[in-house]
Amino acid sequence: MSDDFPHSSRAGHYGLTFPKDLLTYIGVLATALIPGNEKYPSGGDAQVAAFIQDRASSTDMELLQKLSERWPTKSVNGAVEALRKIEQQDPMSFAYLREFIYHGYYSSHRVLAVMADRGYAYHGAPQPLGYKVPDVMSRPTKDRGTYIKTEEVSHVPN
Amino acid sequence: MSRTDSPDVIVIGAGMAGSAISYVLTRAGAKVVCLEQGPMVRPVDHPTFGDDWEFSMRRDWAFTPNQRAMPYDFPVATNGTFFPYLYNAVGGSTNHYSGFWHRLKPVDFRKGTEHGLEGTIDWPISYEELATYYDQNDADVGISGLVGDAAYPARPNAERMPIPQHGEYYNLLANALEKLDLHWWPADNAILTEDRGDRLACNSCGMCNLGCPRGSLGTATQAYIKPAVAMGLDLRALCRVTTITTDAFGAVSGVEYEDLGNDSGHSLSAPLVVVACNGIGTPRMLLLSTSPQQPNGLGNNEDHVGRHFMTHGYRLADMWFDQPTGHWKGPFGAGPYCQEWYDTDMSRGFVNGITITFGGAWGPAFSSLGGTTGRRPASWGPGHHEEFEDRFDRHVFCAIQADDLPVASNRVTLDPAVHDSSGLPAAAVHYDLHPNTRALLEFGSDRLEEIGHAAGAVGIDLQPMDETFCQPGWHLMGTARMSNSPKEGVTDPWNRVWDTPGLVVCDGSSMVTGGAGNPTSTIGALALRCSEKLVSIMGGRVEAEKVI
């Protein structure tokens, strides 16, 4: 990893440790946003809180701390109510939460494993594997389109 | 790496133009120093090896410097109508572009003749004069595609590798365009589909916008910087030019720059300075540099620096299907394109035209959040998983790209209230969507919906064009345009700044019109043409050669 490039999105870059209560808070929010079912794990079980802690800047941590103080909860049911209120009263914060949590969820190995079981040909990290795609690209069946030659450009009345 | 303290040329900026010029001049035997305020980007810096790659798109690999906020980025203030997208690093924005490789068409060079609206002027050159340089830039960068699009002049000398492989979305839209009997063609891409030297062929990972550790994506670094350094280019990354200096007669004498690595200031003299800092960075650089003869900024005695800012009208859309689209497979953003409505047809009530493009659409987080428009995110709560499966692998990215007018009041200035880490004023960009561009986008939206329905789309979400409309500003053009007269532009037909001996500007800011296609190919061609002229002026002669 080169020294000049900050890599601020990578796990551990900021090296922050959230207070236990904040981790719990994010966990219940993540479970409320994305509950588990018979196929997919919940946001909590997908370790979204750890994902967020590992990538949060001090600004992120401050924002999340403020949300936890304004809309406190320790239960999933309470988180559902809190999220409804955040969505209505502070849509920007809701969008921020949802974006962070959805990204954490769809980066989770557990979720990727479920997606693979369900037949998605998606393996998470783009490299080094890439994707094998058969060469069945359509081609135009005839010439279409024209262009105006330089010497034919003329003034259009407007 | 070479080091010289008495260069023949200083090139500011290592994007496509600066890199190409650095390469040609170095190859001709000139002592060249290229100063780039961003870092070198190495294969290990790309986040494509992590399952959390999509998150990187929101942070350090975001398109806009205002979101990335890297220490070497400079803020760009806007009036809220577009997101400025540029990348400060060796290679510039080619580090994370889509590689979509359009040329301008002959008519794009003659829009002054065609309509002259909002002070549009003709380019001081024609397509035919630039064609050979387009071909050379294609060969240097490495282009995959299909020669033969009747919507363009023939390219008998253009080299092409086979088109890259895309997910299922490609055929969905291509077959719809075929059914509607509309013009379409597989896009040219600056993406290798065959190994070339130490660059590997694309493996369809889909994430070009995170950069390419394989070297498949045709960056300026791959095409020009690497061979230039091997030949002796003195490349100085993390070196931010703070001003261009002039002598008592107003001729360029060199630059002052800050080494961001150790916060030290330096002066460097040279008789020739090339500014290639993109359509926002270049006018900023010129405005930051003054002389007694040009107190309002170098090249700005006629008040053209920063003006005529064009970013292409862009309206993005998400199409949703009830069958697999494989949108994360294959190069991003450059599948089939349609130029059925590229040329001016006054029966529509507006001038200029559009290109409609269909491409990949990133990964599961992106789709779950409703894609580009965000208009139908997968709901939270118990219904999330079912809705997610209605979105992921059901999604196509669409873009309507409009030929902007070079409006004088759309301009780049300096923002004295906001500064970069060196204390330099930020760039401030004022851009208003012209009614003609709005009409183009609305027309294009109707056509897009027709195409989507023919393809079987079950949902089409367009960016709303209300007061919240904020379009992507991927392409930054027009702000130091070429001209036949100092009354009309900033540089002469050879990119030499009027009335400023020794100063050259060559990048997207040089473009007089934007056409309705991505500009990197044109920027590269302009740079090769400009640099060949510089070589002849400097007393050498170089035959244009292929890199391989």
Side-chain angles (χ1 to χ4, degrees):
Chain A
M1 192 175 296
S2 61
D3 293 336
D4 298 333
F5 201 96
H7 306 104
S8 58
S9 62
R10 295 201 187 173
H13 175 79
Y14 293 103
L16 296 177
T17 302
F18 283 6
K20 194 166 171 220
D21 285 351
L22 185 58
L23 274 177
T24 303
Y25 180 74
I26 296 168
V28 296
L29 286 186
T31 298
L33 267 178
I34 308 179
N37 64 13
E38 65 279 6
K39 306 184 210 69
Y40 287 91
S42 69
D45 289 341
Q47 303 296 312
V48 168
F51 173 94
I52 289 177
Q53 175 186 246
D54 288 345
R55 289 159 186 78
S57 66
S58 53
T59 304
D60 289 314
M61 186 163 129
E62 203 177 304
L63 275 169
L64 292 164
Q65 191 70 48
K66 281 185 181 158
L67 284 170
S68 74
E69 289 160 6
R70 189 169 172 204
W71 285 286
T73 180
K74 292 186 181 178
S75 71
V76 174
N77 286 341
V80 171
E81 280 312 302
L83 283 166
R84 284 200 184 118
K85 287 178 187 166
I86 299 171
E87 189 175 24
Q88 284 164 8
Q89 297 176 34
D90 190 354
M92 279 187 63
S93 292
F94 179 82
Y96 164 83
L97 270 175
R98 181 176 59 192
E99 182 178 291
F100 221 153
I101 287 172
Y102 280 21
H103 275 92
Y105 188 78
Y106 289 105
S107 303
S108 160
H109 290 165
R110 284 191 61 177
V111 175
L112 294 180
V114 170
M115 289 175 67
D117 280 347
R118 294 192 55 68
Y120 289 108
Y122 172 77
H123 50 58
Q127 296 290 345
L129 296 177
Y131 293 96
K132 292 270 183 268
V133 183
D135 182 7
V136 291
M137 305 296 121
S138 297
R139 304 284 191 273
T141 56
K142 62 182 187 184
D143 283 346
R144 296 184 184 94
T146 58
Y147 68 93
I148 302 172
K149 296 177 185 171
T150 297
E151 59 273 19
E152 293 171 357
V153 177
S154 61
H155 186 70
V156 296
N158 53 58
Chain B
M1 200 175 289
S2 300
R3 181 91 184 179
T4 177
D5 290 321
S6 54
D8 300 312
V9 189
I10 297 169
V11 177
I12 309 174
M16 176 56 75
S19 296
I21 292 170
S22 296
Y23 167 73
V24 174
L25 296 182
T26 301
R27 188 180 62 186
K31 291 186 292 182
V32 183
V33 172
C34 180
L35 299 166
E36 165 55 53
Q37 67 184 323
M40 195 73 185
V41 180
R42 302 177 200 280
V44 292
D45 293 323
H46 298 292
T48 42
F49 294 92
D51 294 333
D52 59 350
W53 62 273
E54 287 190 276
F55 182 68
S56 298
M57 290 292 299
R58 310 281 182 172
R59 296 286 168 116
D60 45 341
W61 282 88
F63 285 124
T64 173
N66 295 338
Q67 197 171 334
R68 288 195 308 272
M70 304 288 225
Y72 38 79
D73 282 324
F74 59 90
V76 180
T78 75
N79 58 328
T81 56
F82 80 105
F83 293 108
Y85 287 160
L86 56 127
Y87 200 82
N88 295 310
V90 174
S93 297
T94 66
N95 278 295
H96 75 149
Y97 73 150
S98 302
F100 200 12
W101 202 253
H102 270 315
R103 296 185 181 189
L104 291 179
K105 300 192 187 192
V107 68
D108 295 319
F109 294 79
R110 293 289 178 267
K111 288 292 181 177
T113 298
E114 186 184 75
H115 59 71
L117 282 186
E118 295 290 351
T120 305
I121 59 173
D122 285 345
W123 288 61
I125 60 174
S126 66
Y127 172 87
E128 288 74 18
E129 291 172 79
L130 204 57
T132 188
Y133 301 100
Y134 272 127
D135 288 345
Q136 183 58 55
N137 188 227
D138 289 357
D140 294 341
V141 171
I143 306 300
S144 52
L146 194 64
V147 174
D149 185 357
Y152 282 87
R155 304 173 191 180
N157 300 317
E159 298 178 357
R160 291 291 181 270
M161 287 175 253
I163 66 172
Q165 307 311 304
H166 298 269
E168 294 89 321
Y169 73 87
Y170 177 101
N171 282 343
L172 271 179
L173 277 307
N175 294 343
L177 291 162
E178 195 67 34
K179 187 164 81 176
L180 293 171
D181 200 20
L182 297 173
H183 168 268
W184 77 275
W185 200 258
D188 279 351
N189 286 283
I191 291 170
L192 300 184
T193 52
E194 296 168 343
D195 292 351
R196 188 196 217 183
D198 63 354
R199 296 174 60 190
L200 300 176
C202 175
N203 64 354
S204 296
C205 85
M207 308 314 154
C208 310
N209 301 130
L210 292 172
C212 184
R214 294 172 62 85
S216 315
L217 185 66
T219 65
T221 306
Q222 295 286 1
Y224 294 118
I225 288 290
K226 281 169 60 176
V229 167
M231 288 188 292
L233 171 68
D234 180 353
L235 172 70
R236 302 184 192 180
L238 292 173
C239 286
R240 172 183 284 155
V241 173
T242 55
T243 194
I244 301 166
T245 57
T246 55
D247 63 19
F249 303 101
V252 155
S253 60
V255 301
E256 291 176 3
Y257 72 93
E258 181 181 336
D259 185 334
L260 300 178
N262 56 29
D263 294 330
S264 58
H266 302 270
S267 296
L268 193 61
S269 299
L272 179 62
V273 173
V274 178
V275 185
C277 306
N278 75 50
I280 291 178
T282 283
R284 178 175 180 250
M285 186 83 267
L286 296 177
L287 293 172
L288 284 171
S289 309
T290 61
S291 70
Q293 295 83 2
Q294 301 189 68
N296 298 316
L298 296 182
N300 200 30
N301 281 356
E302 300 293 340
D303 193 24
H304 280 295
V305 170
R307 290 195 184 273
H308 316 292
F309 174 72
M310 299 172 286
T311 186
H312 286 130
Y314 254 115
R315 192 175 191 189
L316 304 182
D318 300 288
M319 270 191 198
W320 307 96
F321 292 82
D322 58 6
Q323 59 182 298
T325 58
H327 54 79
W328 63 94
K329 295 180 261 185
F332 173 81
Y337 68 91
C338 173
Q339 291 184 335
E340 179 75 22
W341 308 281
Y342 192 94
D343 290 320
T344 292
D345 178 345
M346 288 310 298
S347 69
R348 300 181 198 137
F350 49 80
V351 300
N352 293 344
I354 58 171
T355 295
I356 297 178
T357 307
F358 303 95
W362 298 319
F366 186 68
S367 297
S368 72
L369 288 165
T372 310
T373 62
R375 299 196 76 180
R376 61 177 80 191
S379 61
W380 61 279
H384 177 83
H385 300 293
E386 187 177 341
E387 292 198 11
F388 168 73
E389 295 194 349
D390 284 340
R391 283 154 179 74
F392 185 61
D393 200 13
R394 300 290 183 267
H395 185 195
V396 178
F397 165 86
C398 317
I400 304 154
Q401 185 178 21
D403 186 0
D404 237 348
L405 291 173
V407 180
S409 58
N410 287 341
R411 64 184 302 196
V412 177
T413 56
L414 298 177
D415 187 341
V418 183
H419 299 89
D420 65 14
S421 62
S422 301
L424 298 172
V429 188
H430 181 94
Y431 175 82
D432 291 324
L433 192 70
H434 193 276
N436 192 81
T437 307
R438 178 177 288 272
L440 281 164
L441 292 176
E442 287 173 346
F443 174 84
S445 302
D446 292 341
R447 306 291 79 75
L448 180 75
E449 288 186 314
E450 290 162 2
I451 296 166
H453 291 135
V458 298
I460 302 171
D461 295 328
L462 287 148
Q463 280 181 291
M465 290 190 70
D466 55 17
E467 64 280 358
T468 68
F469 182 58
C470 191
Q471 61 178 35
W474 280 305
H475 310 142
L476 312 169
M477 305 171 289
T479 49
R481 68 185 186 183
M482 300 161 70
S483 61
N484 282 315
S485 156
K487 297 289 184 192
E488 293 185 320
V490 175
T491 80
D492 71 8
W494 293 103
N495 302 98
R496 295 172 297 196
V497 176
W498 295 108
D499 303 323
T500 317
L503 187 61
V504 168
V505 167
C506 189
D507 58 24
S509 66
S510 306
M511 293 176 68
V512 179
T513 57
N518 298 35
T520 307
S521 170
T522 300
I523 292 169
L526 283 174
L528 291 177
R529 176 178 176 273
C530 170
S531 54
E532 191 175 271
K533 182 68 168 181
L534 292 176
V535 168
S536 71
I537 290 170
M538 291 166 70
R541 187 162 191 290
V542 167
E543 294 290 337
E545 298 172 356
K546 294 177 188 175
V547 173
I548 54 170

